[in-house]
């Protein structure tokens, strides 16, 4: 068991456990915006651990590509969560009463696209 | 070492099944988008574990492409949902 094997033996199961926690969070959280926490954070951390564990196993010249994938994941997870959360808000897929602070309402009003109070169309696929 | 690989893949597949459960049960399309994004992240993780297991690095470009496709897919789907709800 070389040092690389020990590092991989620690990182890979830890990453898999974080992926499992992310999936559990996806199941257990009440509404879409809280599920975004689990989907973005736990998953990205799990993937990072697994990719670092894999990079250690491989010849050194392949490590930058794996770190590139980690960088992509770190860049895209926040963007995806922000856009899906905003869509859920605008499509009224979440009840706005449950929000502690709601800064998007006046932001959208300032944008000239206020969240219309009418209930969404029946066929609107929320 | 092989025990560790099997444990990792077992835990990853269990997580995948849970995500599929959310994919099936998700009340509306947005939950399914998030579930599919999570499934793609797990596919990337599983491919990486497979690469470490078999000591071959051929699927390396697949990981980069998958990481990007997961992102563009989710963004486009969210955009279409807003358009179908008449907001765009």
């Amino acid at each position: 068991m070389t040092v690389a094997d020990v590092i991989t033996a620690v990182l890979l199961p830890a990453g898999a456990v974080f992926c499992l926690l992310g999936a559990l969070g996806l199941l257990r959280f009440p509404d879409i915006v809280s599920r975004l926490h689990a989907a973005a954070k736990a998953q990205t951390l799990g993937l990072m651990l697994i990719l670092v564990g894999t990079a250690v196993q491989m010849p050194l010249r392949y490590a930058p590509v794996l770190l590139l994938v980690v960088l992509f994941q770190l860049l895209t997870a926040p963007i995806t969560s922000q856009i899906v959360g905003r869509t859920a808000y605008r499509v009224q897929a979440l009840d706005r009463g449950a929000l502690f602070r709601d800064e998007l309402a006046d932001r959208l009003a300032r944008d000239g696209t206020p969240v219309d109070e009418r209930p969404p169309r029946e066929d609107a696929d929320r | 070492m092989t025990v560790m690989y099997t444990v990792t893949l077992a835990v990853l597949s269990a997580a995948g099944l849970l995500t599929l459960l959310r994919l099936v049960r998700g009340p509306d399309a947005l939950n399914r988008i998030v579930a599919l994004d999570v499934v793609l992240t797990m596919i990337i993780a599983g491919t990486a574990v497979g690469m470490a297991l078999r000591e071959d690095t051929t699927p390396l470009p697949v990981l980069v492409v998958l990481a990007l496709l997961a992102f563009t897919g989710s963004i486009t789907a969210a955009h279409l949902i807003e358009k179908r709800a008449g907001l765009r």
Side-chain angles (χ1 to χ4, degrees):
Chain A
M1 284 282 275
T2 68
V3 175
D5 288 349
V6 169
I7 292 177
T8 308
V10 169
L11 285 184
L12 249 55
V17 163
F18 272 108
C19 278
L20 185 68
L21 291 178
L24 272 176
L26 205 61
L27 264 179
R28 298 283 303 170
F29 282 154
D31 63 352
I32 178 72
V33 265
S34 47
R35 282 180 202 135
L36 284 174
H37 284 289
K41 293 181 192 137
Q43 283 299 320
T44 310
L45 179 59
L47 185 66
M48 260 197 294
L49 294 180
I50 286 182
L51 286 179
V52 170
T54 311
V56 168
Q57 283 291 324
M58 286 197 286
L60 204 54
R61 65 181 185 283
Y62 292 118
V65 182
L66 278 171
L67 297 186
L68 185 68
V69 175
V70 170
L71 185 66
F72 278 162
Q73 198 62 25
L74 282 176
L75 286 177
T76 52
I79 297 174
T80 305
S81 307
Q82 202 266 341
I83 287 189
V84 169
R86 191 167 186 274
T87 304
Y89 184 93
R90 292 189 64 191
V91 162
Q92 287 149 33
L94 60 96
D95 61 340
R96 292 199 298 278
L99 300 176
F100 285 111
R101 288 174 56 91
D102 186 354
E103 287 152 359
L104 191 51
D106 45 16
R107 176 78 175 85
L108 288 175
R110 223 168 344 112
D111 265 0
T113 58
V115 186
D116 46 12
E117 290 316 322
R118 306 188 315 278
R121 293 201 319 262
E122 272 328 303
D123 61 351
D125 186 359
R126 294 200 324 217
Chain B
M1 278 300 278
T2 53
V3 170
M4 182 271 298
Y5 282 129
T6 44
V7 164
T8 307
L9 288 176
V11 171
L12 264 179
S13 44
L17 286 180
L18 288 178
T19 318
L20 288 184
L21 191 60
R22 167 51 58 195
L23 186 69
V24 166
R25 225 172 32 164
D28 57 7
L30 281 168
N31 289 294
R32 292 196 173 100
I33 291 173
V34 173
L36 281 174
D37 201 16
V38 168
V39 164
L40 271 170
T41 316
M42 272 178 219
I43 290 175
I44 296 174
T47 318
V49 171
M51 275 189 335
L53 184 64
R54 283 189 212 89
E55 307 285 338
D56 76 329
T57 62
T58 42
L60 206 56
V62 173
L63 297 187
V64 179
V65 169
L66 266 180
L68 285 175
L69 281 186
F71 161 64
T72 44
S74 304
I75 304 294
T76 315
H79 182 80
L80 283 178
I81 283 183
E82 271 199 6
K83 184 178 291 184
R84 199 184 302 173
L87 292 170
R88 271 203 197 281

